[in-house]
Amino acid sequence: MTEPAPPHRQPEEGYRHGRLTARPTTVTAPGPTGPAEVTDPAGGPPALRHVPTGGEGPYRLVLLLHGAGGSARQGLDLLLPLADAHRLLLLAPQALASTWDLIAAGYGPDVARIDALLAATFRAYPVAGVTVGGFSDGASYALSLGLTNGDLVDAVLAFSPGFAAPLVTHGRPRLFVSHGTDDRVLPVDVCSRRLVPRLHGLGYPAEYAEFAGGHEVPAEIRRRAVDWLVG
């Protein structure tokens, strides 16, 4: 007996699913180093970029996502003091709204803009390894995008996340999660202390760091995260 219809095809996954299509490519003439403002291809707020000086790569690209009500500058500053020493190419976009699309109304416009920014960066710089990182809402978004795009993203840095909400998952990126025990914005008991065991149960390698403090990213946590990333 045969099936009455052909097998179902794999559903198309796009920006509404949080999927990114940009991929690193061969670059023969890298772009300029140092800090720069990057025009949004879709006409939105500009992103910020920092390319380490003293060499031509390849670099580890770290996409950095600000918290609710934050700015691209705040995203970039998460790892800026450590970027040159560890050859991290930082790219920090600005959300179209006060926070990222997933949290406001569902995946879509911010995913498309991030994908275009990544594609432009891949065309201009040699990249060996892609990380997504963020703080607060940006950490939740980083986890969600990272789990969705583990075929591109090999590591996620989530500083004080609230949740992870991938619609689809690909790959098994490694994860670094930190949270303050006195966080009053996203309390650790209902956020990371629930989230991290769930991620472990799903098979994701997750490093977890708690610290005595509130809704913040102490300098020691940033250093620990980068040491974990490049180690």
PDB file of all heavy atoms in Angstrom, residues 198-216:
ATOM      1  N   ARG A 198      17.009  23.664  31.941  1.00  0.00           N
ATOM      2  CA  ARG A 198      16.218  23.263  30.785  1.00  0.00           C
ATOM      3  C   ARG A 198      17.112  23.137  29.546  1.00  0.00           C
ATOM      4  O   ARG A 198      16.970  22.196  28.758  1.00  0.00           O
ATOM      5  CB  ARG A 198      15.101  24.281  30.547  1.00  0.00           C
ATOM      6  CG  ARG A 198      14.048  23.854  29.525  1.00  0.00           C
ATOM      7  CD  ARG A 198      12.949  24.891  29.411  1.00  0.00           C
ATOM      8  NE  ARG A 198      12.412  25.246  30.711  1.00  0.00           N
ATOM      9  CZ  ARG A 198      12.080  26.475  31.090  1.00  0.00           C
ATOM     10  NH1 ARG A 198      12.255  27.488  30.252  1.00  0.00           N
ATOM     11  NH2 ARG A 198      11.598  26.692  32.284  1.00  0.00           N
ATOM     12  N   LEU A 199      18.033  24.068  29.383  1.00  0.00           N
ATOM     13  CA  LEU A 199      18.958  24.010  28.251  1.00  0.00           C
ATOM     14  C   LEU A 199      19.874  22.789  28.352  1.00  0.00           C
ATOM     15  O   LEU A 199      20.127  22.111  27.362  1.00  0.00           O
ATOM     16  CB  LEU A 199      19.782  25.295  28.187  1.00  0.00           C
ATOM     17  CG  LEU A 199      18.999  26.568  27.825  1.00  0.00           C
ATOM     18  CD1 LEU A 199      19.845  27.800  28.085  1.00  0.00           C
ATOM     19  CD2 LEU A 199      18.530  26.534  26.380  1.00  0.00           C
ATOM     20  N   HIS A 200      20.353  22.518  29.569  1.00  0.00           N
ATOM     21  CA  HIS A 200      21.153  21.313  29.770  1.00  0.00           C
ATOM     22  C   HIS A 200      20.361  20.069  29.386  1.00  0.00           C
ATOM     23  O   HIS A 200      20.877  19.158  28.731  1.00  0.00           O
ATOM     24  CB  HIS A 200      21.591  21.206  31.229  1.00  0.00           C
ATOM     25  CG  HIS A 200      22.765  22.054  31.575  1.00  0.00           C
ATOM     26  ND1 HIS A 200      22.943  22.627  32.820  1.00  0.00           N
ATOM     27  CD2 HIS A 200      23.842  22.453  30.846  1.00  0.00           C
ATOM     28  CE1 HIS A 200      24.059  23.319  32.840  1.00  0.00           C
ATOM     29  NE2 HIS A 200      24.622  23.241  31.657  1.00  0.00           N
ATOM     30  N   GLY A 201      19.094  20.030  29.800  1.00  0.00           N
ATOM     31  CA  GLY A 201      18.250  18.879  29.503  1.00  0.00           C
ATOM     32  C   GLY A 201      18.021  18.670  28.019  1.00  0.00           C
ATOM     33  O   GLY A 201      17.775  17.543  27.579  1.00  0.00           O
ATOM     34  N   LEU A 202      18.106  19.756  27.252  1.00  0.00           N
ATOM     35  CA  LEU A 202      17.934  19.669  25.803  1.00  0.00           C
ATOM     36  C   LEU A 202      19.243  19.353  25.083  1.00  0.00           C
ATOM     37  O   LEU A 202      19.267  19.263  23.857  1.00  0.00           O
ATOM     38  CB  LEU A 202      17.358  20.982  25.267  1.00  0.00           C
ATOM     39  CG  LEU A 202      15.912  21.284  25.690  1.00  0.00           C
ATOM     40  CD1 LEU A 202      15.535  22.708  25.287  1.00  0.00           C
ATOM     41  CD2 LEU A 202      14.941  20.280  25.072  1.00  0.00           C
ATOM     42  N   GLY A 203      20.318  19.215  25.849  1.00  0.00           N
ATOM     43  CA  GLY A 203      21.584  18.811  25.256  1.00  0.00           C
ATOM     44  C   GLY A 203      22.530  19.936  24.893  1.00  0.00           C
ATOM     45  O   GLY A 203      23.540  19.700  24.232  1.00  0.00           O
ATOM     46  N   TYR A 204      22.237  21.168  25.316  1.00  0.00           N
ATOM     47  CA  TYR A 204      23.120  22.288  25.002  1.00  0.00           C
ATOM     48  C   TYR A 204      24.222  22.398  26.052  1.00  0.00           C
ATOM     49  O   TYR A 204      23.932  22.394  27.260  1.00  0.00           O
ATOM     50  CB  TYR A 204      22.345  23.603  24.942  1.00  0.00           C
ATOM     51  CG  TYR A 204      21.408  23.688  23.773  1.00  0.00           C
ATOM     52  CD1 TYR A 204      20.052  23.410  23.919  1.00  0.00           C
ATOM     53  CD2 TYR A 204      21.873  24.021  22.508  1.00  0.00           C
ATOM     54  CE1 TYR A 204      19.177  23.479  22.839  1.00  0.00           C
ATOM     55  CE2 TYR A 204      21.014  24.088  21.420  1.00  0.00           C
ATOM     56  CZ  TYR A 204      19.675  23.817  21.603  1.00  0.00           C
ATOM     57  OH  TYR A 204      18.824  23.875  20.524  1.00  0.00           O
ATOM     58  N   PRO A 205      25.480  22.524  25.627  1.00  0.00           N
ATOM     59  CA  PRO A 205      26.561  22.746  26.589  1.00  0.00           C
ATOM     60  C   PRO A 205      26.490  24.174  27.122  1.00  0.00           C
ATOM     61  O   PRO A 205      26.719  25.129  26.377  1.00  0.00           O
ATOM     62  CB  PRO A 205      27.826  22.507  25.760  1.00  0.00           C
ATOM     63  CG  PRO A 205      27.414  22.769  24.341  1.00  0.00           C
ATOM     64  CD  PRO A 205      25.962  22.422  24.235  1.00  0.00           C
ATOM     65  N   ALA A 206      26.142  24.333  28.381  1.00  0.00           N
ATOM     66  CA  ALA A 206      25.911  25.665  28.952  1.00  0.00           C
ATOM     67  C   ALA A 206      26.779  25.881  30.182  1.00  0.00           C
ATOM     68  O   ALA A 206      26.724  25.108  31.144  1.00  0.00           O
ATOM     69  CB  ALA A 206      24.436  25.844  29.316  1.00  0.00           C
ATOM     70  N   GLU A 207      27.585  26.919  30.153  1.00  0.00           N
ATOM     71  CA  GLU A 207      28.370  27.380  31.295  1.00  0.00           C
ATOM     72  C   GLU A 207      27.536  28.424  32.036  1.00  0.00           C
ATOM     73  O   GLU A 207      27.014  29.364  31.418  1.00  0.00           O
ATOM     74  CB  GLU A 207      29.676  28.005  30.805  1.00  0.00           C
ATOM     75  CG  GLU A 207      30.553  28.583  31.878  1.00  0.00           C
ATOM     76  CD  GLU A 207      31.448  27.543  32.543  1.00  0.00           C
ATOM     77  OE1 GLU A 207      31.429  26.391  32.087  1.00  0.00           O
ATOM     78  OE2 GLU A 207      32.141  27.904  33.495  1.00  0.00           O
ATOM     79  N   TYR A 208      27.404  28.279  33.346  1.00  0.00           N
ATOM     80  CA  TYR A 208      26.547  29.193  34.104  1.00  0.00           C
ATOM     81  C   TYR A 208      27.349  29.869  35.197  1.00  0.00           C
ATOM     82  O   TYR A 208      28.047  29.207  35.976  1.00  0.00           O
ATOM     83  CB  TYR A 208      25.377  28.430  34.712  1.00  0.00           C
ATOM     84  CG  TYR A 208      24.416  29.310  35.494  1.00  0.00           C
ATOM     85  CD1 TYR A 208      23.943  30.502  34.959  1.00  0.00           C
ATOM     86  CD2 TYR A 208      23.983  28.936  36.763  1.00  0.00           C
ATOM     87  CE1 TYR A 208      23.072  31.312  35.673  1.00  0.00           C
ATOM     88  CE2 TYR A 208      23.096  29.728  37.480  1.00  0.00           C
ATOM     89  CZ  TYR A 208      22.647  30.920  36.929  1.00  0.00           C
ATOM     90  OH  TYR A 208      21.782  31.725  37.634  1.00  0.00           O
ATOM     91  N   ALA A 209      27.231  31.201  35.277  1.00  0.00           N
ATOM     92  CA  ALA A 209      27.959  31.986  36.267  1.00  0.00           C
ATOM     93  C   ALA A 209      26.989  32.898  37.018  1.00  0.00           C
ATOM     94  O   ALA A 209      26.415  33.812  36.422  1.00  0.00           O
ATOM     95  CB  ALA A 209      29.039  32.819  35.586  1.00  0.00           C
ATOM     96  N   GLU A 210      26.810  32.632  38.304  1.00  0.00           N
ATOM     97  CA  GLU A 210      26.055  33.554  39.161  1.00  0.00           C
ATOM     98  C   GLU A 210      27.039  34.465  39.879  1.00  0.00           C
ATOM     99  O   GLU A 210      28.179  34.087  40.147  1.00  0.00           O
ATOM    100  CB  GLU A 210      25.225  32.776  40.185  1.00  0.00           C
ATOM    101  CG  GLU A 210      23.960  32.201  39.635  1.00  0.00           C
ATOM    102  CD  GLU A 210      23.022  31.680  40.727  1.00  0.00           C
ATOM    103  OE1 GLU A 210      23.318  31.860  41.932  1.00  0.00           O
ATOM    104  OE2 GLU A 210      21.995  31.080  40.366  1.00  0.00           O
ATOM    105  N   PHE A 211      26.569  35.670  40.198  1.00  0.00           N
ATOM    106  CA  PHE A 211      27.411  36.611  40.930  1.00  0.00           C
ATOM    107  C   PHE A 211      26.555  37.391  41.910  1.00  0.00           C
ATOM    108  O   PHE A 211      25.333  37.506  41.740  1.00  0.00           O
ATOM    109  CB  PHE A 211      28.132  37.560  39.975  1.00  0.00           C
ATOM    110  CG  PHE A 211      27.214  38.380  39.099  1.00  0.00           C
ATOM    111  CD1 PHE A 211      26.760  39.627  39.500  1.00  0.00           C
ATOM    112  CD2 PHE A 211      26.797  37.892  37.861  1.00  0.00           C
ATOM    113  CE1 PHE A 211      25.911  40.382  38.697  1.00  0.00           C
ATOM    114  CE2 PHE A 211      25.948  38.634  37.051  1.00  0.00           C
ATOM    115  CZ  PHE A 211      25.507  39.880  37.468  1.00  0.00           C
ATOM    116  N   ALA A 212      27.181  37.907  42.943  1.00  0.00           N
ATOM    117  CA  ALA A 212      26.490  38.724  43.934  1.00  0.00           C
ATOM    118  C   ALA A 212      26.309  40.122  43.355  1.00  0.00           C
ATOM    119  O   ALA A 212      27.259  40.893  43.269  1.00  0.00           O
ATOM    120  CB  ALA A 212      27.286  38.767  45.237  1.00  0.00           C
ATOM    121  N   GLY A 213      25.096  40.428  42.914  1.00  0.00           N
ATOM    122  CA  GLY A 213      24.833  41.726  42.304  1.00  0.00           C
ATOM    123  C   GLY A 213      23.469  41.753  41.676  1.00  0.00           C
ATOM    124  O   GLY A 213      22.706  40.773  41.757  1.00  0.00           O
ATOM    125  N   GLY A 214      23.146  42.866  41.042  1.00  0.00           N
ATOM    126  CA  GLY A 214      21.822  43.059  40.485  1.00  0.00           C
ATOM    127  C   GLY A 214      21.769  42.852  38.987  1.00  0.00           C
ATOM    128  O   GLY A 214      22.420  41.963  38.442  1.00  0.00           O
ATOM    129  N   HIS A 215      20.975  43.712  38.324  1.00  0.00           N
ATOM    130  CA  HIS A 215      20.765  43.603  36.873  1.00  0.00           C
ATOM    131  C   HIS A 215      21.889  44.348  36.177  1.00  0.00           C
ATOM    132  O   HIS A 215      21.768  45.522  35.808  1.00  0.00           O
ATOM    133  CB  HIS A 215      19.399  44.204  36.531  1.00  0.00           C
ATOM    134  CG  HIS A 215      18.873  43.769  35.194  1.00  0.00           C
ATOM    135  ND1 HIS A 215      18.679  42.450  34.868  1.00  0.00           N
ATOM    136  CD2 HIS A 215      18.508  44.495  34.100  1.00  0.00           C
ATOM    137  CE1 HIS A 215      18.195  42.365  33.643  1.00  0.00           C
ATOM    138  NE2 HIS A 215      18.100  43.587  33.150  1.00  0.00           N
ATOM    139  N   GLU A 216      23.005  43.643  35.990  1.00  0.00           N
ATOM    140  CA  GLU A 216      24.231  44.285  35.518  1.00  0.00           C
ATOM    141  C   GLU A 216      25.162  43.225  34.942  1.00  0.00           C
ATOM    142  O   GLU A 216      24.880  42.020  35.010  1.00  0.00           O
ATOM    143  CB  GLU A 216      24.921  44.997  36.689  1.00  0.00           C
ATOM    144  CG  GLU A 216      25.237  44.040  37.842  1.00  0.00           C
ATOM    145  CD  GLU A 216      25.760  44.751  39.074  1.00  0.00           C
ATOM    146  OE1 GLU A 216      26.617  45.640  38.896  1.00  0.00           O
ATOM    147  OE2 GLU A 216      25.333  44.411  40.192  1.00  0.00           O
TER     148      GLU A 216
END
